[in-house]
Amino acid sequence: MRLKEIQRTAHQAWSPASHHPIYLALGTSAQQLDASFNTTAALEIFEMDFADPSLDMKLKGSLPTTNRLHSIVWVNFGLGADGTGGRLVSGSENGAITVYNVEAILGSAADAVVGQSDKHTGPVRALDFNPFQSNLLASGANDSEIYIWDLNNFNNPMTPGAKSQPAEDISVVSWNRQVQHILASANPSGKAVVWDLRKNEPIIKISDHSNRMHCSGMLWHPEVATQLVLASEDDRMPVIQMWDLRFATSPLKVLENHTRGILSISWSQADPELLLSSAKDNRILCWNPNTGEVIYELPTINQWCFDVQWCPRNPALLSTASFDGKISVYSVMGGSLEGQQQSSVDKISSSFDNMDPFGMGQTLPPLQVPQPTAQTTIVPPLKKPPKWVRRPVGASFAFGGKLVTFENPPPAPAQSPQPVPRQVFVSQVTTETEFLQRSRELQAALQAGTFVHYCQAKIQSAPCDAEQDIWKFLMVNFEDEARVKFLRLLGFSKDELERKISKCLGKNFQPNGHGVDAKDLAEKMQLLSTERADEAGAVSDTGSTSPTDFFSQIPQDKPSFQIPISSDTDGLISQALLVGNFEGAVDLCLNDGRYAEAILLSISGGEELLKKTQQRYLETQKNSISMLISSVVTQNWRDIVQSCELDNWKEALAALLTYAHPEEFAPLCDTLGGRLETEGTEKRSLQACLCYICSGNLEKLVECWAAQRDCSSPLVLEDLVEKVMILRKSIERLRNSEVPLQSPTLAEKLTCYAGILAAEGSLATAMAYLPDDSHQVSGTGALVFSLHASRCLPTPLIRTHCKSYVLAGNVRTYCTSYVIVRAYIKGAGYNWCYQRNLYFSL
Amino acid sequence: MVSVINTVDTSHEDMIHDAQMDYYGTRLATCSSDRTVKIFDVRNGGQILVADLRGHEGPVWQVAWAHPMYGNILASCSYDRKVIVWKEENGSWDKMYEYTGHESSVNSVCWGPYDFGLILACGSSDGAISLLTFTGEQQWDVKKISNAHTIGCNAVSWAPAVVPGSLVDQPSGQKPNYVKRFVSGGCDNLVKLWKEEDGQWKEDQKLEAHSDWVRDVGWAPSIGLPTSTIASCSQDGRVFIWTCEDPTGNTWTPKLLHKFADVVWHVSWSITGNILAVSGGDNKVTLWKESMDGQWACISDVSKGQGAVSSITDTQQSEQ
């Protein structure tokens, strides 16, 4: 397939492989004139822009030259850091060798010529640069002249040895591709000479006995150091000979197909099984030199092509220079020529004025350019796929964290009888080692029921206090007397407290009980309320310091007394008492601020009165402990959790643990947790989590935990799942029944968790975590879930899931349902129609 | 940790060019220069040859499994310019369709997301990309993008059907508005994005960063996040990660993952889109993962299916 074309009668040189973009340098050919007999000469550099579908080459720089060329090479020497630039070296008809700085030509700078030598006495037809040391250049001219040039010191060339006799033109020089000090030269008479530059002499001469080889080309094998090919220009022997220096008596192989002399050859450096040749039979062939087979014939050439060259950078491209003055670039990968042919026809056609060029008053029909039929048909690519399209290695991921890899060992020597094993490896990729380890531990604990042990291990390995606290709380759930133990964890121990109280009362005995420490009072109040049925102070020992005695001491302070009956408060109280009007007496006491009397009296006045009195008393008290007392006495814990200072969360929780009824306990803990959570700090959130653990509220725990953390990381998610699963087990233990995982947040997190497990290859474990009601899962989790889960769930189960889901009216949004159902359908791989009906019934 | 759980001896007589597991990870399809496609049942570490598919007349470059919703279907493409769709019917595999519309080697095949039905994208050295859609009753509709990559298309990869971020802000009750999109890479060194509009395929974006043939492209699976990600690898040894956070899909930013010493042939995303497997010409397979701060780090070197995995932090520390 032809890609680019330009009208030039020129020699060509591709930019080196490192050069991007790809350039092609063209220098006007010697001994060829175009139809205009133009004798000017120029060196031009074009860019090959293959993103541009037109055949045009973009001129990037040009330089008028004084000489016409016989040869040109683009040398790797002096490349810029980005691999661009370098040197162009040309050999001209008068024997001059000129070195150009590519950068300067591209930049139209004046000093483009950086070296020139007239050392050769005749036309320089042969040029090659050393592939290992790019500063070394070999040139060949008439009279057996061969020079080795050092671009670092251009003026003093060396010779590879004594001139071979008799003196002949040198038509080709070529450096060995494997051994850097080996050079070969060839001449039209058919002899090739191999020089060793270390010895400075020819080491072997190759000559065919037929004497008909007229060497127009010679190339070393790109990979085998001892092999080279010679191409013959002689019409009587239009062949390419392949020689091996190890058997240098006759050619190893002769490639015969051309019918007239071969003008040029080029060996692909990217694939040694691709050798190009152009001949005077107007054909350009591509050979597999190993088999001698012609694997490609370049179409559309109607002219001798005197130079053919593979592109070093893009191995599928080659350029041709033909005697009809065209430089063309082709791809050997085949393809249609139709599109581009059409455009060239249009171009030719439109270059004439169709309207009325001869002034005859009539429009001419469009120009019909005859199209050879071969050009419009499809050009097949190389018969043998080139090396550069054969992918040798691959790695592809598959479901469940599996990786499928293959690599092809370098081709074994052809003689090797052992067939190469062609293996594909299926591997398991696990990147979350710690995650998997922990999930295994969790799974083991869940299955074995060793929860306490698991929690203990967690407590020991906890990275911080907060984490440790949480695990301690979680563990308590599995023990008896959980509430007492919770209290202890919060820092409240009954025994410890009793000691403190005794101490306190012993040292600071105060009959007026106001203003003592809250716990102290709470204790007192508790005792009071538990013993309120007893007559206060019925039995007592003087001097006793026990709280009960404290109250019973009060009446004993007055050994004898009179009953006042005056009209003041005292009098009214005693009168009321005397007639048994407890209510009135209590009212009077309260009114006078005699709370103790009021309480005492109301105890005698019955339960109802006592309650009323307590209430009225508490209403009047506005100090810090009154709320607590109030709550303890009235059994109203809601007030505490709703209005205590958040710093007192521990105390509030302790109060709940001590007093709250089992049925009230959980909601109250949740309320407290909710308040802590709304503050939004990490500390509070952890405290809230503790509340939720006490209450056994899975959903809240998850929400609170997740709100503070980005649960997308596997380990963070693992942290959460561990807690949730353990808490769930403890609740199940308490309730003696299975706890469903109903919360959407939780379901989503578990789904995510299952997704990661699945991606790491733990499919069975992943399934264990899939929520039953996964249709409630929305968003990303759902997708990840469906991606994974649907692939490992057995089909009947999916059907059940799917059906139940479709039948369940409680879908959250259509969108979610769409994704999920789609996912299920996707995974199921069974009767699509049936599923589609279900699906559309949504 | 990358550990071999199954070594499948394919008995291919020449180079293997592709190996792909089916959707469930139970079957393995391989293809080779020996012109055959083979299917193995690899469940439970086994390797039972299920099918040896012969029909191509040249090296088979790639195989691709269709979504199981449509049955057991495998597509293969070859240097012989043909694309063959194979189908299992009653336990035996046969040709379901043969497409001969390309003029040169077909280098890549990729099935579109199942939401779009059975649709196959094929990239060829003739520069064109074909889109083959199954319309039922053994009929296939063919659309062709000529000159998609001037001197050859090497790879195609579909975008996920889910529009980035759609799961996040999809108004309820609306069917997501799917647009068919895919990415291709070619010998013109370009990565191109294509989009179907009113039934016509149009070039949507042209991404330039590589300086040599783009060997492979991979559109990362979407997990519902609002970012689209594409990986591309090239003859120039470079792997780029292209991301687009712009909802209109117009602004793509390249990030160089790494420059390898040799040609990079293939890139493959894990199912969750967080690990990229890169295979290079020096027979090296490496795994890459993005760290929290957006840097890509190599977490594993895989050789013959084996390799250690380092955590990202370790890798970064060792690099510093």
Side-chain angles (χ1 to χ4, degrees):
Chain A
M1 154 174 192
R2 184 167 53 189
L3 300 168
K4 300 284 168 195
E5 190 159 85
I6 194 166
Q7 291 285 332
R8 287 290 185 280
T9 306
H11 281 275
Q12 50 186 354
W14 286 102
S15 55
S18 63
H19 207 287
H20 171 74
I22 297 172
Y23 285 170
L24 184 66
L26 301 178
T28 315
S29 295
Q31 286 192 328
Q32 294 173 34
L33 288 179
D34 61 16
S36 67
F37 292 93
N38 187 348
T39 53
T40 59
L43 191 56
E44 292 170 302
I45 298 177
F46 293 91
E47 181 185 341
M48 300 292 126
D49 180 5
F50 298 109
D52 169 14
S54 81
L55 284 173
D56 301 334
M57 303 180 183
K58 281 187 200 159
L59 183 64
K60 300 301 278 188
S62 73
L63 185 73
T65 54
T66 47
N67 297 314
R68 298 182 146 227
L69 309 182
H70 273 293
S71 53
I72 181 167
V73 286
W74 195 317
V75 188
N76 265 327
F77 181 77
L79 290 179
D82 56 350
T84 62
R87 300 282 183 270
L88 277 166
V89 181
S90 70
S92 70
E93 52 193 331
N94 65 0
I97 288 189
T98 315
V99 183
Y100 302 91
N101 182 336
V102 171
E103 298 271 322
I105 298 174
L106 294 173
S108 305
D111 53 350
V113 176
V114 292
Q116 191 154 34
S117 168
D118 297 325
K119 198 102 182 170
H120 279 298
T121 54
V124 181
R125 292 198 164 81
L127 279 177
D128 192 27
F129 68 92
N130 189 303
F132 299 93
Q133 295 185 49
S134 59
N135 58 315
L136 293 183
L137 182 83
S139 67
N142 59 346
D143 199 23
S144 294
E145 285 175 358
I146 301 175
Y147 289 120
I148 312 293
W149 308 81
D150 181 353
L151 292 180
N152 289 316
N153 178 17
F154 187 67
N155 294 319
N156 297 305
M158 310 178 306
T159 59
K163 280 186 188 178
S164 46
Q165 294 297 334
E168 284 188 274
D169 287 354
I170 300 290
S171 52
V172 207
V173 288
S174 179
W175 293 97
N176 191 286
R177 314 307 293 180
Q178 305 295 319
V179 185
Q180 56 176 329
H181 52 84
I182 300 293
L183 177 76
S185 65
N187 50 40
S189 73
K191 272 207 293 284
V193 179
V194 178
W195 308 82
D196 185 336
L197 297 195
R198 288 183 312 184
K199 297 175 177 162
N200 221 30
E201 60 178 38
I203 51 169
I204 196 164
K205 289 182 185 172
I206 302 165
S207 175
D208 180 58
H209 300 300
S210 71
N211 285 326
R212 283 185 186 163
M213 283 292 287
H214 285 198
C215 281
S216 56
M218 175 190 59
L219 292 167
W220 288 98
H221 192 290
E223 287 172 3
V224 182
T226 56
Q227 293 185 353
L228 54 78
V229 292
L230 293 171
S232 169
E233 198 178 346
D234 192 318
D235 286 349
R236 295 168 300 171
M237 196 176 174
V239 299
I240 299 171
Q241 292 179 334
M242 188 163 176
W243 290 81
D244 194 310
L245 300 185
R246 290 169 293 187
F247 328 97
T249 49
S250 66
L252 197 63
K253 205 165 278 169
V254 179
L255 310 182
E256 294 173 283
N257 196 305
H258 281 297
T259 54
R260 296 190 63 193
I262 295 165
L263 295 168
S264 169
I265 53 174
S266 178
W267 207 330
S268 169
Q269 299 300 305
D271 185 347
E273 295 192 329
L274 301 179
L275 178 70
L276 279 175
S277 64
S278 66
K280 290 186 272 186
D281 57 6
N282 293 348
R283 292 157 76 206
I284 295 179
L285 302 180
C286 183
W287 308 78
N288 180 344
N290 291 336
T291 61
E293 187 191 3
V294 173
I295 53 176
Y296 187 67
E297 179 164 352
L298 199 69
T300 78
I301 294 288
N302 304 309
Q303 260 292 341
W304 289 11
C305 166
F306 64 89
D307 190 13
V308 55
Q309 282 189 28
W310 288 108
C311 170
R313 185 176 180 88
N314 188 328
L317 302 184
L318 61 102
S319 62
T320 63
S322 54
F323 281 119
D324 62 353
K326 272 187 194 147
I327 304 287
S328 311
V329 175
Y330 295 88
S331 161
V332 289
M333 290 307 287
S336 168
L337 296 173
E338 223 163 319
Q340 280 144 350
Q341 290 300 326
Q342 195 53 46
S343 65
S344 70
V345 171
D346 291 346
K347 211 179 272 178
I348 299 166
S349 185
S350 63
S351 64
F352 295 95
D353 184 0
N354 283 345
M355 290 320 288
D356 187 13
F358 305 117
M360 287 155 60
Q362 60 184 80
T363 309
L364 288 178
L367 186 71
Q368 296 294 320
V369 178
Q371 290 288 312
T373 46
Q375 293 194 350
T376 50
T377 54
I378 296 161
V379 185
L382 293 169
K383 269 187 214 160
K384 179 200 86 92
K387 193 177 168 186
W388 65 81
V389 295
R390 287 177 289 181
R391 186 162 81 176
V393 61
S396 302
F397 273 105
F399 171 64
K402 291 199 183 71
L403 185 70
V404 182
T405 54
F406 60 90
E407 47 197 68
N408 286 283
Q415 293 84 4
S416 167
Q418 202 67 31
V420 192
R422 305 285 176 185
Q423 291 177 326
V424 173
F425 302 101
V426 180
S427 311
Q428 181 68 53
V429 177
T430 50
T431 55
E432 305 293 342
T433 325
E434 190 186 346
F435 169 84
L436 282 179
Q437 176 63 27
R438 283 175 59 184
S439 93
R440 270 196 294 274
E441 282 167 15
L442 174 63
Q443 198 59 22
L446 291 177
Q447 273 163 9
T450 51
F451 308 118
V452 175
H453 179 77
Y454 182 79
C455 292
Q456 273 165 347
K458 280 282 162 197
I459 292 167
Q460 270 159 24
S461 64
C464 61
D465 289 350
E467 189 74 16
Q468 204 169 13
D469 284 347
I470 287 182
W471 281 108
K472 281 180 180 163
F473 271 69
L474 283 169
M475 186 167 79
V476 162
N477 272 328
F478 292 102
E479 295 172 353
D480 296 328
E481 295 189 329
R483 281 203 187 186
V484 179
K485 285 175 180 159
F486 277 134
L487 267 180
R488 206 171 288 155
L489 286 175
L490 285 170
F492 300 102
S493 148
K494 274 193 174 161
D495 307 341
E496 179 74 6
L497 187 67
E498 258 168 43
R499 267 199 302 284
K500 278 190 192 162
I501 291 170
S502 318
K503 216 167 145 193
C504 166
L505 293 179
K507 282 187 180 170
N508 307 310
F509 181 71
Q510 283 178 357
N512 182 352
H514 294 306
V516 294
D517 151 78
K519 292 171 216 155
D520 203 1
L521 195 77
E523 195 75 9
K524 288 174 201 162
M525 291 303 281
Q526 186 194 6
L527 288 167
L528 177 69
S529 82
T530 49
E531 295 171 14
R532 63 173 181 259
D534 306 342
E535 286 298 310
V539 188
S540 68
D541 294 326
T542 314
S544 159
T545 54
S546 88
T548 321
D549 297 341
F550 165 72
F551 286 101
S552 53
Q553 285 167 3
I554 296 170
Q556 288 182 3
D557 277 8
K558 302 211 175 202
S560 65
F561 62 94
Q562 54 176 174
I563 299 165
I565 45 162
S566 53
S567 56
D568 61 357
T569 311
D570 278 0
L572 287 173
I573 291 171
S574 42
Q575 284 172 45
L577 285 177
L578 290 175
V579 296
N581 183 353
F582 283 102
E583 251 171 86
V586 168
D587 280 348
L588 287 165
C589 289
L590 288 173
N591 209 28
D592 199 36
R594 306 183 190 182
Y595 298 116
E597 283 94 328
I599 301 276
L600 285 173
L601 287 174
S602 56
I603 290 168
S604 313
E607 198 129 325
E608 205 165 305
L609 180 61
L610 178 64
K611 255 188 193 152
K612 222 162 131 192
T613 315
Q614 282 172 348
Q615 200 177 341
R616 286 187 59 187
Y617 165 77
L618 291 168
E619 273 167 11
T620 59
Q621 298 297 310
K622 290 292 171 238
N623 62 22
S624 56
I625 58 157
S626 58
M627 275 306 284
L628 179 62
I629 297 168
S630 157
S631 299
V632 173
V633 173
T634 61
Q635 304 279 299
N636 180 1
W637 303 103
R638 191 150 297 280
D639 287 349
I640 291 233
V641 294
Q642 279 175 347
S643 51
C644 72
E645 286 281 329
L646 285 180
D647 281 336
N648 286 120
W649 71 275
K650 262 192 191 182
E651 286 74 20
L653 186 56
L656 294 181
L657 285 164
T658 310
Y659 297 112
H661 290 296
E663 63 271 21
E664 281 179 344
F665 177 68
L668 288 170
C669 282
D670 290 348
T671 311
L672 182 62
R675 284 189 60 210
L676 287 162
E677 205 183 328
T678 45
E679 191 160 291
T681 64
E682 201 188 332
K683 195 176 85 184
R684 289 278 186 254
S685 138
L686 276 169
Q687 293 161 353
C689 286
L690 292 180
C691 293
Y692 296 140
I693 290 172
C694 291
S695 73
N697 191 332
L698 283 172
E699 185 173 342
K700 285 281 189 188
L701 176 66
V702 173
E703 280 169 12
C704 175
W705 186 264
Q708 282 291 317
R709 288 161 190 83
D710 172 22
C711 283
S712 59
S713 135
L715 284 178
V716 177
L717 200 56
E718 172 70 34
D719 275 344
L720 174 64
V721 172
E722 282 172 358
K723 295 180 179 78
V724 168
M725 296 320 283
I726 291 296
L727 183 58
R728 181 186 181 204
K729 283 291 168 197
S730 69
I731 299 167
E732 282 176 1
R733 178 178 166 273
L734 287 175
R735 295 189 195 158
N736 220 353
S737 69
E738 193 157 312
V739 176
L741 300 168
Q742 281 168 331
S743 138
T745 321
L746 178 55
E748 191 205 309
K749 295 293 171 209
L750 286 177
T751 297
C752 238
Y753 185 70
I756 299 171
L757 280 170
E760 295 281 324
S762 302
L763 301 186
T765 319
M767 275 190 60
Y769 287 100
L770 286 179
D772 307 332
D773 53 346
S774 44
H775 56 264
Q776 286 189 4
V777 179
S778 65
T780 43
L783 193 63
V784 175
F785 155 66
S786 47
L787 265 171
H788 295 288
S790 56
R791 297 195 197 185
C792 59
L793 287 172
T795 308
L797 188 51
I798 296 170
R799 191 175 290 150
T800 318
H801 267 266
C802 210
K803 241 186 192 167
S804 67
Y805 171 62
V806 174
L807 296 178
N810 60 344
V811 287
R812 306 187 95 210
T813 62
Y814 182 79
C815 173
T816 316
S817 64
Y818 182 79
V819 170
I820 300 291
V821 170
R822 210 181 48 176
Y824 280 131
I825 293 167
K826 172 178 162 183
Y830 59 91
N831 192 330
W832 164 237
C833 290
Y834 164 70
Q835 277 308 310
R836 193 166 44 187
N837 292 341
L838 272 183
Y839 160 58
F840 282 117
S841 70
L842 278 172
Chain B
M1 194 66 201
V2 183
S3 39
V4 176
I5 52 177
N6 197 349
T7 303
V8 181
D9 205 333
T10 62
S11 302
H12 275 302
E13 288 157 18
D14 205 337
M15 276 173 90
I16 299 170
H17 296 299
D18 200 12
Q20 295 287 338
M21 288 264 222
D22 72 351
Y23 189 85
Y24 304 102
T26 56
R27 276 189 284 197
L28 176 74
T30 60
C31 60
S32 153
S33 265
D34 69 6
R35 306 179 171 195
T36 64
V37 172
K38 294 189 182 190
I39 299 173
F40 297 88
D41 185 329
V42 292
R43 268 177 296 186
N44 307 319
Q47 39 181 300
I48 303 157
L49 181 66
V50 176
D52 185 346
L53 307 178
R54 290 165 192 267
H56 282 297
E57 297 158 64
V60 189
W61 300 137
Q62 278 193 11
V63 285
W65 290 95
H67 193 277
M69 182 170 107
Y70 302 104
N72 292 321
I73 295 174
L74 185 76
S76 60
C77 62
S78 160
Y79 189 70
D80 68 3
R81 297 176 267 157
K82 286 194 286 200
V83 174
I84 299 180
V85 179
W86 311 84
K87 184 167 189 183
E88 185 191 43
E89 219 86 66
N90 305 320
S92 80
W93 285 85
D94 289 302
K95 269 187 206 175
M96 179 188 182
Y97 178 55
E98 184 172 297
Y99 174 66
T100 52
H102 280 292
E103 288 146 5
S104 186
S105 171
V106 185
N107 302 319
S108 181
V109 280
C110 183
W111 291 103
Y114 66 93
D115 314 59
F116 305 139
L118 263 185
I119 179 168
L120 185 72
C122 323
S124 163
S125 285
D126 66 8
I129 295 171
S130 298
L131 292 132
L132 316 177
T133 312
F134 183 63
T135 52
E137 303 294 320
Q138 287 147 32
Q139 293 297 307
W140 290 75
D141 172 59
V142 176
K143 277 187 183 135
K144 198 159 171 184
I145 308 172
S146 310
N147 230 335
H149 291 277
T150 319
I151 45 177
C153 173
N154 294 325
V156 284
S157 173
W158 285 84
V162 184
V163 181
S166 63
L167 284 172
V168 183
D169 20 276
Q170 191 66 42
S172 66
Q174 272 182 29
K175 192 178 165 182
N177 183 23
Y178 291 151
V179 180
K180 289 182 196 155
R181 290 196 296 170
F182 69 89
V183 59
S184 64
C187 298
D188 52 6
N189 310 346
L190 295 174
V191 171
K192 287 185 176 180
L193 305 188
W194 307 87
K195 175 156 98 176
E196 194 189 47
E197 275 176 8
D198 310 322
Q200 296 298 311
W201 283 94
K202 286 177 182 153
E203 184 180 315
D204 186 32
Q205 292 284 312
K206 192 188 284 181
L207 310 181
E208 290 177 73
H210 289 292
S211 60
D212 210 331
W213 292 7
V214 178
R215 286 290 189 177
D216 198 12
V217 285
W219 202 310
S222 163
I223 49 163
L225 299 177
T227 310
S228 297
T229 309
I230 292 172
S232 65
C233 64
S234 160
Q235 185 74 22
D236 67 11
R238 281 187 281 216
V239 175
F240 280 103
I241 305 293
W242 303 84
T243 50
C244 174
E245 286 167 23
D246 162 18
T248 58
N250 291 329
T251 327
W252 289 83
T253 330
K255 178 170 234 166
L256 181 65
L257 177 114
H258 189 66
K259 185 175 188 312
F260 294 84
D262 207 334
V263 45
V264 183
W265 285 93
H266 186 47
V267 285
S268 169
W269 290 100
S270 66
I271 305 292
T272 38
N274 60 342
I275 305 175
L276 184 72
V278 177
S279 5
D282 43 9
N283 270 343
K284 283 228 176 85
V285 174
T286 46
L287 303 184
W288 297 76
K289 201 170 183 179
E290 192 180 15
S291 67
M292 297 304 268
D293 57 350
Q295 297 301 312
W296 286 88
C298 180
I299 56 165
S300 185
D301 276 303
V302 184
S303 172
K304 296 199 184 299
Q306 309 255 41
V309 168
S310 53
S311 74
I312 288 187
T313 43
D314 293 348
T315 315
Q316 280 174 336
Q317 275 160 0
S318 65
E319 275 174 1
Q320 277 162 4

